[in-house]
Amino acid sequence: MTSLFRFYSFVPATIVVALCFLSTLLPLERVALVERPLFAQGFDDDFGSEDEEADSEEEADEFADEEEDSEDEVSEDDADEQESAPADSAEGENVSVEVDPFKPYQLGDAAMNEILARDPQTPLEHVDCAQILTELARYDKAREFYRRARNLELSDEDLDALLAKYGRAFFVSLSANPRLKPHGEAFGRYVLESMEKRYENDEEFINKIIDQLNDPDPDRRRIALGEIQGRRSVAIPLLISAYAESDDESRSEALRDAILRFGEIVTPALSAVLDSGDETLQISCVELLTIQAMQKIHSARVALYRAAAFTSKDQELVCEYATQCLEEAVEKKKISLASVAQVLQEEIQKVQKEKTILERDDDPMFVHVLWRWNATEQALFCEPSTRLAGARLDAYRLARALWNLYPKMPIVRKHLFICASEYVVTFSKEIQSAPLKSATILETDEFTHIRENYSVSEVESYLDEGLTKGLYDASVVAALFLGEMGTEDVLHTNAPGLSNLARALSSPHRLLRFTALETIMKLNPKAPYAGSSRVVEALSWFLAAQGNARVLIGDISFANGNVLGGRFASRSFEFDVACSGRELLAKAFQSSDYSLILIDMEMIDETPDLILQQLRLDARTADIPIVLIAQSEYYKLAERLSQKLAKSVWFPRPATDDDLDLLLTLSNRVRTSANIPVEQRQAEIRQCLVWAHDIILSHRSGWVPRGDFKKKDSSLESPLKVYDVTKLQEPILKIAPNPRFLNEAIEALSALGTPRAQEMLIFLANSGNYDHKASVSAAEALKKNTLSYGVLLKTDRIADLYEEYNSTRGTQKRQLEIRGLILDALEAPLQTSVSQAEAFPQVK
């Protein structure tokens, strides 16, 4: 448009008026002469022949045919094409067309002539020409410039120039402009794709855009602001850093305006920077949070309270500045307990209410952004998460704000313990997507803070409250704390009933049950205590497994259940089928492998409430998701039961693989501790086998009296009979043949003094189902067992083993070696007693 104004500055106004007046007097049949001015005839040589232009117009027509245009309607673009056609295209016939003499391109012919006379070289110059032609409504010529620009290769400098001048929004609009299709659309998409490839996480480019915020040109500032808002996850940390480092007042003002334009979205990022320990960054965040606090953003005010209560010596300046800002924000001379408590308690109530809602119904597909400070990289970063994780992070920050202000207040201490526990557990599972293990929690800074600032009695009370109210995340952290800092005394209580750790062993939460078991094994009690039988019961339950995620299918027809189970098997699930309510309950209570229970409504039609309530009341199945499978006649009943029953959904019987995928997606939305990775399941089983071995060793006397052949060991003179280890034999024998747990099972069997344990060790060594190393290990374990308990096999069985050895061929060297080791193990006690007799001869 600048060239247009420059041209008209050299033309007398009278001539312009005269030309406009004469154009109205021209007869209609001579309009074609006006449509094709003489200066435009030479343009065909530059842009191609009329045939090439026609080809371009045919492409445009083909693109337009895809849209739903009626035959009777003619678009404005088509009208422009007809009006700009040559006069001789009508084969000598005069075409009578009504034309508005004041169309923009008619008045801008001289300006267009100047544009067409240019020789653009760069993509930016082509876009400049095309943009002016578009403003003159010469879409046909503008398309040609976009076509030529599309044929050019875009360099990084070209992209920088295009984005700095026009911004991303211009090319989004260009790609959707029907008047400039197809070439305008193609070029717009080409530029957008190129920008995404280069600038998506390009901090150098974003810093250039940040510098452009202080540009004298208001259009360039507007474009830069739009680009920054489009890249907030990358731009916000760079904006905050630039604001903290800026010494120029005008630049600081521009940066401050850009940051605050994000509104409340940026508040969590500013709150996260308060964890940085960088005084310059923290003071800058306090300034920005103060502005937001004045706008009644409560989370900003809470962050200011937290900064005002910093106790570190190197953050005294931050604390003083935040206090000063708070005094101005709340219009008080000092921070009062009433004002702090009122604001924080309101926020805490809102967050807790939101957490409660999200725990029941939080769509995992909804992406929520979390801002955190990375102490290792000394940088602010964000990560995708769920809304529940965001709510728990907000609650934890609120609790830290209260702690910083009033670390001695009991309610504040309890609130921080609960919120920190929820935050750590949620962060491990949902943010890091890692198996939630006790070691993961122990390594966190939050657990270190708890360990350094809380007492054993205090945490015991939190465990009691957590078990009573179902706060399982806090209970897990409390049990871990007692394992690290407690003693055996926490298992012995003067009050009637069980200790809190013994209660936790019967929790429906799988991780809490395992953590309580781990804590008790660390405490290593030397005397019986109330609830000790639950340790063996918990171990037996964990060992009653195969280490895979299994689905229990309850169906009235075994064949239909197998068909449905086959679909699960194709998705790496193992399955079991039960054809009655009683069989369903028996299988569900016996195995710890189940991560999902499917029940056909027809199978429990008569007693649905009874069966479902038994599954929910038993701790072994209380946390397993239940899916009620229903035919059309059972839809209403299934819906009513699923609404009434916790952690359950209903679904029509899946007929296709897509239906099954939808069912799994729906069931995964049920938050439960039963859905854990297979690797974690197997790790738990291995650890339980180690604990079982340790418990059996503490009861070394076993089931038979010690013989004279046993080695003397002072540590075994008074066996610790705290647990009933007879209940461990069956689960160990069942899991021993599983090759995943073979090494741990062999160790446990070596300490188990029963005939069946010796038989199992012989089977593991002699069956040929395992590699040679495992077979040798089983034979050596058998020797260790017989040295401790003697040979407990019957005479006939021992004779069969000797017969097997004698019948083994000499060519079967490995089998001969294993069977020889088995016989050595059976003969070891006799050899030991002979050597002892020789060492201590009887005196006559």
Side-chain angles (χ1 to χ4, degrees):
M1 294 306 292
T2 304
S3 59
L4 177 62
F5 296 146
R6 185 166 63 249
F7 171 76
Y8 277 121
S9 64
F10 293 101
V11 180
T14 54
I15 297 177
V16 176
V17 174
L19 288 174
C20 295
F21 177 76
L22 289 174
S23 64
T24 61
L25 301 179
L26 291 175
L28 293 177
E29 61 270 18
R30 296 180 65 86
V31 168
L33 296 177
V34 179
E35 294 172 351
R36 184 174 175 79
L38 293 177
F39 63 76
Q41 295 177 0
F43 185 67
D44 291 337
D45 297 334
D46 184 24
F47 273 68
S49 63
E50 294 180 6
D51 294 337
E52 292 176 350
E53 186 174 352
D55 293 340
S56 176
E57 293 175 3
E58 288 177 4
E59 293 176 8
D61 292 338
E62 290 176 2
F63 191 93
D65 288 339
E66 298 178 1
E67 301 184 2
E68 298 179 356
D69 294 339
S70 62
E71 296 180 358
D72 297 331
E73 295 179 350
V74 180
S75 66
E76 183 179 350
D77 192 17
D78 295 333
D80 293 337
E81 298 285 349
Q82 293 173 5
E83 291 172 3
S84 61
D88 56 358
S89 63
E91 298 182 356
E93 296 181 4
N94 292 329
V95 181
S96 178
V97 182
E98 291 187 8
V99 177
D100 183 0
F102 295 102
K103 277 196 172 183
Y105 74 83
Q106 288 178 325
L107 293 179
D109 280 346
M112 187 183 71
N113 184 31
E114 181 182 346
I115 296 301
L116 300 180
R118 294 182 183 179
D119 184 22
Q121 299 296 324
T122 65
L124 178 61
E125 292 174 351
H126 280 85
V127 174
D128 289 340
C129 295
Q131 177 63 4
I132 296 175
L133 291 170
T134 302
E135 292 178 359
L136 294 174
R138 291 312 303 261
Y139 307 111
D140 53 335
K141 305 304 180 186
R143 284 196 297 267
E144 193 62 33
F145 275 104
Y146 283 125
R147 182 184 68 80
R148 293 177 62 183
R150 175 63 182 85
N151 293 333
L152 297 176
E153 184 177 353
L154 285 176
S155 65
D156 292 345
E157 292 76 12
D158 293 331
L159 284 174
D160 288 343
L162 288 170
L163 198 55
K165 183 168 183 178
Y166 289 102
R168 181 187 299 268
F170 170 82
F171 295 101
V172 172
S173 177
L174 174 63
S175 63
N177 191 338
R179 294 177 175 179
L180 297 174
K181 290 181 180 180
H183 303 308
E185 177 190 30
F187 182 71
R189 291 183 176 179
Y190 174 52
V191 173
L192 290 172
E193 291 173 0
S194 301
M195 289 178 179
E196 287 299 327
K197 290 178 181 178
R198 183 183 175 211
Y199 299 140
E200 184 174 3
N201 293 308
D202 189 345
E203 294 186 1
E204 181 179 355
F205 164 72
I206 296 175
N207 282 324
K208 291 180 181 179
I209 295 296
I210 290 175
D211 293 337
Q212 192 173 316
L213 288 171
N214 206 32
D215 195 282
D217 187 350
D219 289 335
R220 288 174 62 85
R221 293 199 301 269
R222 175 182 53 79
I223 290 169
L225 188 61
E227 289 300 318
I228 287 173
Q229 290 180 331
R231 295 177 175 84
R232 69 184 185 189
S233 60
V234 182
I236 285 178
L238 298 177
L239 277 172
I240 296 174
S241 298
Y243 178 74
E245 297 170 359
S246 176
D247 296 329
D248 186 358
E249 181 60 33
S250 61
R251 173 178 167 80
S252 297
E253 184 178 353
L255 291 168
R256 181 167 56 247
D257 179 67
I259 294 172
L260 295 177
R261 279 181 179 269
F262 287 103
E264 196 169 353
I265 297 174
V266 80
T267 309
L270 296 172
S271 300
V273 175
L274 293 177
D275 296 327
S276 65
D278 187 323
E279 188 177 87
T280 304
L281 275 174
Q282 290 174 323
I283 290 178
S284 299
C285 287
V286 168
E287 292 177 359
L288 296 168
L289 288 168
T290 301
I291 297 174
Q292 291 191 314
M294 298 294 287
Q295 298 171 353
K296 297 183 179 181
I297 297 178
H298 293 294
S299 55
R301 186 173 295 183
V302 169
L304 284 179
Y305 281 124
R306 181 176 160 211
F310 283 152
T311 57
S312 177
K313 292 183 179 180
D314 56 353
Q315 294 180 347
E316 291 180 356
L317 185 59
V318 178
C319 178
E320 293 175 3
Y321 186 65
T323 303
Q324 180 183 353
C325 292
L326 270 175
E327 291 174 355
E328 297 175 0
V330 300
E331 297 180 353
K332 290 182 178 291
K333 295 181 179 180
K334 60 181 180 179
I335 303 176
S336 66
L337 178 62
S339 63
V340 173
Q342 180 180 0
V343 174
L344 293 185
Q345 289 299 333
E346 289 177 0
E347 286 296 312
I348 288 171
Q349 289 175 3
K350 289 197 305 185
V351 172
Q352 292 290 358
K353 183 177 181 181
E354 184 178 3
K355 281 196 307 179
T356 303
I357 296 173
L358 293 178
E359 284 175 350
R360 298 176 181 174
D361 185 21
D362 183 17
D363 187 356
M365 302 303 293
F366 182 88
V367 179
H368 183 89
V369 176
L370 288 186
W371 289 94
R372 298 180 67 249
W373 179 263
N374 189 322
T376 304
E377 300 180 5
Q378 287 296 301
L380 178 68
F381 71 100
C382 67
E383 48 203 3
S385 178
T386 62
R387 290 183 297 171
L388 177 61
R392 291 194 166 180
L393 176 58
D394 292 341
Y396 172 65
R397 285 175 175 163
L398 287 168
R400 284 301 301 267
L402 277 172
W403 170 276
N404 289 343
L405 291 166
Y406 314 108
K408 302 298 183 182
M409 190 179 294
I411 189 172
V412 170
R413 296 176 66 84
K414 182 176 73 173
H415 184 73
L416 176 63
F417 183 90
I418 294 173
C419 290
S421 303
E422 291 177 340
Y423 166 69
V424 168
V425 173
T426 305
F427 199 85
S428 299
K429 287 192 300 185
E430 301 189 18
I431 310 301
Q432 297 178 340
S433 300
L436 184 59
K437 301 177 181 178
S438 57
T440 307
I441 300 174
L442 293 174
E443 294 172 357
T444 59
D445 295 337
E446 290 74 21
F447 187 83
T448 302
H449 178 268
I450 290 174
R451 185 169 52 194
E452 294 174 351
N453 293 278
Y454 287 83
S455 65
V456 173
S457 59
E458 196 174 12
V459 174
E460 263 201 288
S461 65
Y462 300 156
L463 177 57
D464 183 20
E465 184 171 352
L467 293 172
T468 304
K469 296 183 178 180
L471 302 174
Y472 296 124
D473 293 338
S475 300
V476 167
V477 176
L480 288 174
F481 177 91
L482 295 176
E484 293 288 312
M485 308 298 292
T487 63
E488 181 185 352
D489 294 338
V490 299
L491 294 172
H492 304 283
T493 174
N494 295 326
L498 305 178
S499 65
N500 292 319
L501 284 174
R503 290 171 57 200
L505 288 170
S506 299
S507 167
H509 194 275
R510 183 185 179 105
L511 179 61
L512 176 56
R513 192 181 313 171
F514 184 83
T515 303
L517 194 57
E518 180 181 26
T519 297
I520 292 174
M521 295 306 298
K522 282 184 179 180
L523 297 176
N524 192 20
K526 301 298 189 297
Y529 57 91
S532 59
S533 61
R534 296 192 178 190
V535 171
V536 177
E537 292 173 0
L539 280 173
S540 301
W541 183 80
F542 276 106
L543 293 177
Q546 295 299 316
N548 285 334
R550 300 180 70 87
V551 178
L552 179 58
I553 302 173
D555 200 304
I556 198 169
S557 167
F558 187 80
N560 290 341
N562 272 326
V563 171
L564 184 57
R567 291 187 178 143
F568 278 97
S570 65
R571 286 158 177 77
S572 302
F573 283 92
E574 295 183 0
F575 69 94
D576 294 315
V577 178
C579 296
S580 67
R582 178 175 295 180
E583 184 182 5
L584 178 78
L585 293 175
K587 289 185 175 182
F589 295 153
Q590 287 175 358
S591 176
S592 62
D593 277 337
Y594 295 123
S595 60
L596 185 64
I597 298 177
L598 275 73
I599 305 177
D600 191 297
M601 289 300 302
E602 188 176 2
M603 189 189 76
I604 59 171
D605 184 18
E606 296 181 357
T607 57
D609 292 286
L610 178 61
I611 294 175
L612 295 177
Q613 288 300 327
Q614 287 187 67
L615 289 173
R616 278 294 166 257
L617 291 175
D618 194 288
R620 295 168 290 184
T621 56
D623 214 32
I624 301 177
I626 296 176
V627 179
L628 301 176
I629 302 298
Q631 302 289 0
S632 57
E633 61 269 24
Y634 291 103
Y635 283 174
K636 291 185 178 180
L637 176 61
E639 182 178 7
R640 178 180 63 82
L641 290 173
S642 64
Q643 291 175 352
K644 185 172 62 173
L645 191 68
K647 298 179 182 179
S648 66
V649 295
W650 76 278
F651 198 83
R653 189 174 188 88
T656 64
D657 290 342
D658 291 339
D659 292 343
L660 186 61
D661 291 337
L662 183 59
L663 183 151
L664 289 173
T665 301
L666 186 64
S667 64
N668 286 336
R669 291 184 60 180
V670 179
R671 297 186 176 275
T672 171
S673 63
N675 292 330
I676 59 174
V678 173
E679 296 79 8
Q680 186 175 350
R681 290 178 180 274
Q682 295 177 3
E684 289 177 349
I685 294 172
R686 292 189 186 96
Q687 186 60 60
C688 286
L689 280 169
V690 173
W691 290 334
H693 172 262
D694 294 342
I695 288 177
I696 294 171
L697 282 181
S698 68
H699 295 65
R700 194 61 180 263
S701 59
W703 286 265
V704 294
R706 295 185 189 179
D708 295 335
F709 53 81
K710 184 169 178 55
K711 291 182 179 180
K712 298 297 181 181
D713 187 347
S714 59
S715 65
L716 303 176
E717 291 299 328
S718 301
L720 301 175
K721 297 184 178 180
V722 179
Y723 307 107
D724 183 5
V725 294
T726 58
K727 295 181 179 179
L728 292 175
Q729 176 178 236
E730 198 64 32
I732 293 175
L733 291 174
K734 284 185 178 180
I735 203 171
N738 193 322
R740 297 190 187 99
F741 317 109
L742 187 61
N743 294 332
E744 293 80 8
I746 288 174
E747 282 297 317
L749 288 169
S750 69
L752 194 60
T754 66
R756 294 183 63 190
Q758 294 184 359
E759 279 285 4
M760 178 57 69
L761 287 172
I762 293 173
F763 168 79
L764 297 176
N766 196 32
S767 64
N769 297 333
Y770 309 98
D771 58 38
H772 182 68
K773 183 178 179 181
S775 299
V776 171
S777 177
E780 292 175 349
L782 177 63
K783 184 176 181 179
K784 187 189 301 184
N785 188 293
T786 56
L787 286 173
S788 299
Y789 303 105
V791 179
L792 306 178
L793 304 178
K794 293 183 178 180
T795 306
D796 294 343
R797 177 58 176 152
I798 296 174
D800 291 340
L801 292 172
Y802 274 94
E803 182 64 28
E804 286 182 3
Y805 177 81
N806 294 329
S807 62
T808 305
R809 299 177 182 177
T811 56
Q812 300 173 332
K813 293 182 178 180
R814 288 198 167 184
Q815 190 173 19
L816 188 65
E817 177 189 357
I818 295 299
R819 290 179 176 176
L821 290 174
I822 292 174
L823 295 182
D824 290 343
L826 297 180
E827 296 171 356
L830 180 61
Q831 295 174 355
T832 302
S833 61
V834 170
S835 62
Q836 288 179 352
E838 293 175 351
F840 302 100
Q842 296 181 358
V843 179
K844 296 184 180 179

